[in-house]
Amino acid sequence: MQLAMIGLGKMGANMNLRLLRGGHQTVVFNRSPEPVRAAAEAGSIPSESIPDLIGKLTTPRAVWMMLPAGAPTEAMLDLLLTLLSPDDIIIDGGNSNYKDTMRRAEKCQGHSIHYVDVGTSGGIWGVSEGYSLMIGGEKEPVERLRPIFETLAPAAELGWGHVGPSGAGHFVKMVHNGIEYGMMQAFAEGFEIMKGKTELGLDLYQISEIWRYGSVVRSWLLDLAARALAEDASLSALKGWVADSGEGRWTVAEAIDLDVPAPIITLALQMRFISRQDESFAAKMLAALRNQFGGHAVKREGDS
């Protein structure tokens, strides 16, 4: 099956490569030319512009956007709507807010163009392991794209599914990422507790390897933790600064809107914010208050 790929960042490039290996023909475009050249060397048809890309597709056309959420996706959608024809399909595989997706699907309906949202998980490993695909949209275009999904997924009948109408795919991916925040935070805290027990001389890499087999906490995240510890047991090369993609924030906001308690995901998000503070005024205030009411010790600037 032929597919256009717009956006060849690390994940988009790897997805394109998996499609090529699965026997699909891809036409590619990226804002910077280097990824396009690399994709062409792998077997894709390169394009110099979006109109050029659309002109190289057979109808009905399918265009997969793998772009940052927000303005870049919105601008590309508006451009595509001026170039595509009725019954063509636009796929958003990025981390868009599901409310934006629902609105965009309605906009596409006005042009008789299908809009399919695909929450995509798998990171840089998906090219070899396959991607988990959470798909929203109308049934007919999703079924038309089945060969693409079966190729990208870990297996034809595993790791992907049509979960609901427009927006459902991105909503499920949003919650998936919220859960991911909580799991990552739990691993981070557990390993820090063990690292702090210095008198036991624990080998964190050894422990991660023990847990990977038979343990109830075995998981892909644990596999990645073991890999990181194997490369640098003290993680000394890293700074404890953690970004967030926005999906954790959206998950927490949705939980509040639905009156659903989500303390673990919420706190995991807050811990990411804490990681970005070189110096926390809130922590200083806590220390000052403890000193004021209880005479508890504080550390002053310049203390060792």
Side-chain angles (χ1 to χ4, degrees):
M1 182 176 182
Q2 188 185 47
L3 180 74
M5 287 288 296
I6 299 176
L8 296 173
K10 287 184 179 179
M11 196 163 180
N14 283 347
M15 292 174 69
N16 182 64
L17 186 57
R18 188 171 176 89
L19 288 170
L20 291 172
R21 291 174 179 173
H24 298 282
Q25 182 188 66
T26 62
V27 184
V28 298
F29 174 79
N30 194 73
R31 186 174 59 179
S32 54
E34 292 81 7
V36 175
R37 284 195 289 267
E41 290 174 0
S44 294
I45 299 172
S47 60
E48 298 179 354
S49 66
I50 298 302
D52 181 39
L53 175 140
I54 299 302
K56 291 177 177 177
L57 295 172
T58 56
T59 57
R61 293 164 287 206
V63 180
W64 189 306
M65 300 186 296
M66 207 66 189
L67 300 171
T73 295
E74 193 77 33
M76 184 58 67
L77 172 63
D78 288 342
L79 176 58
L80 289 173
L81 288 178
T82 68
L83 300 170
L84 296 176
S85 304
D87 205 33
D88 288 345
I89 305 172
I90 299 174
I91 307 141
D92 180 3
N95 284 333
S96 291
N97 187 298
Y98 81 97
K99 294 178 181 178
D100 288 336
T101 299
M102 295 170 71
R103 174 180 52 78
R104 290 168 184 157
E106 287 188 10
K107 182 189 293 188
C108 288
Q109 279 184 338
H111 295 260
S112 298
I113 292 172
H114 306 288
Y115 197 73
V116 174
D117 51 295
V118 182
T120 307
S121 180
I124 60 174
W125 297 92
V127 64
S128 57
E129 302 295 324
Y131 297 89
S132 174
L133 306 172
M134 299 142 263
I135 303 163
E138 304 163 272
K139 183 176 180 180
E140 189 278 326
V142 170
E143 190 61 30
R144 198 191 310 173
L145 294 166
R146 173 179 284 270
I148 295 294
F149 300 141
E150 290 180 342
T151 299
L152 289 173
E157 300 299 330
L158 294 175
W160 75 278
H162 183 199
V163 298
S166 295
H170 283 151
F171 181 85
V172 173
K173 176 58 163 49
M174 176 192 75
V175 176
H176 164 282
N177 280 25
I179 293 170
E180 177 186 294
Y181 279 37
M183 292 174 66
M184 291 173 68
Q185 184 64 31
F187 275 122
E189 292 175 9
F191 278 102
E192 183 165 20
I193 291 168
M194 291 187 291
K195 187 176 186 298
K197 198 66 173 176
T198 54
E199 62 266 34
L200 295 183
L202 300 175
D203 183 333
L204 301 187
Y205 170 65
Q206 177 200 31
I207 293 164
S208 68
E209 284 294 328
I210 292 170
W211 286 357
R212 288 181 63 211
Y213 303 96
S215 164
V216 296
V217 298
R218 65 187 184 274
S219 65
W220 188 45
L221 286 175
L222 180 59
D223 294 342
L224 297 178
R227 180 184 174 90
L229 291 167
E231 295 172 354
D232 181 2
S234 64
L235 304 182
S236 57
L238 300 178
K239 185 176 180 180
W241 191 98
V242 187
D244 72 282
S245 65
E247 301 233 6
R249 302 179 190 221
W250 301 339
T251 305
V252 170
E254 197 68 30
I256 293 170
D257 287 346
L258 295 171
D259 294 329
V260 174
I264 303 302
I265 295 174
T266 302
L267 184 56
L269 174 64
Q270 294 293 325
M271 292 303 294
R272 294 197 178 195
F273 298 158
I274 291 172
S275 77
R276 301 171 204 173
Q277 294 183 296
D278 291 331
E279 187 174 54
S280 169
F281 182 80
K284 287 186 175 184
M285 181 60 73
L286 286 172
L289 289 171
R290 292 182 76 248
N291 178 256
Q292 290 293 324
F293 72 70
H296 299 289
V298 295
K299 286 189 176 183
R300 308 279 181 188
E301 292 290 345
D303 289 349
S304 58

